[in-house]
Amino acid sequence: MTKQDRIYHGVRPVGDDDWQCRILVEKRKLGPTERQVDDLVLYELTPKDAEALGGFDWGYSGSGPSRAADSILADALGLGDPWSSGFAGGRVDPVLEALSVDFASDVLIQCCSEWRLSRAGVLRWCRGWYAQQGVNDLPAALVDLPELTSSRL
């Protein structure tokens, strides 16, 4: 398994007074038992200073989905910590900031309490976004994507 083969799994606890939405990064397992394997979690994305700034969330337009988008995109694109890589915090990169806002709007505000996104799907979405914006300076993770082909055309 390569680092490429992973799934972002968002979980919003139900009925817990001290709820905290979590984004687990899991191994990609194909087949009908994919979600029944206990050893899937590789690591968990964590929001910076969740006590002061709030944690992750989705299903609405706001700061929770924005923090989730920053973390997912930074991880998928291999940019390291989203709070120091240009998404948020000190020096904000306007392209990465716009990418994150649109990802939150197009994807995360549509999510329900539990969801899964493949890294490949996130990267394809990003590649399309860069093309639509006319931005040619791509993050390294987007440069080597294989071309999409379809035998159904």
Side-chain angles (χ1 to χ4, degrees):
M1 187 190 81
T2 67
K3 187 177 178 183
Q4 320 302 29
D5 300 328
R6 57 188 190 261
I7 301 291
Y8 298 100
H9 180 187
V11 180
R12 179 186 294 137
V14 178
D16 189 354
D17 291 337
D18 187 30
W19 67 274
Q20 179 76 314
C21 291
R22 300 172 66 195
I23 300 175
L24 307 173
V25 182
E26 301 173 342
K27 295 178 198 175
R28 182 173 184 105
K29 292 258 189 176
L30 301 177
T33 60
E34 174 178 354
R35 295 181 183 131
Q36 298 170 359
V37 179
D38 294 332
D39 66 342
L40 289 178
V41 177
L42 297 170
Y43 53 94
E44 182 172 347
L45 300 180
T46 55
K48 180 179 181 178
D49 200 6
E51 293 287 325
L53 301 175
F56 298 138
D57 210 344
W58 41 84
Y60 71 97
S61 180
S63 59
S66 177
R67 280 187 292 279
D70 292 346
S71 291
I72 292 168
L73 292 170
D75 187 76
L77 294 170
L79 300 177
D81 178 15
W83 321 113
S84 61
S85 63
F87 283 101
R91 186 185 66 80
V92 176
D93 179 312
V95 173
L96 292 178
E97 181 180 39
L99 174 74
S100 180
V101 167
D102 287 347
F103 183 78
S105 178
D106 285 354
V107 179
L108 294 178
I109 68 169
Q110 311 301 322
C111 291
C112 56
S113 60
E114 185 172 356
W115 49 265
R116 285 178 169 82
L117 296 170
S118 69
R119 178 176 184 259
V122 171
L123 293 178
R124 296 251 183 248
W125 184 93
C126 290
R127 182 82 175 257
W129 184 91
Y130 273 85
Q132 185 178 37
Q133 302 302 315
V135 178
N136 296 321
D137 187 20
L138 300 174
L142 299 179
V143 173
D144 295 326
L145 286 182
E147 294 298 320
L148 286 176
T149 59
S150 176
S151 59
R152 294 176 285 185
L153 294 178

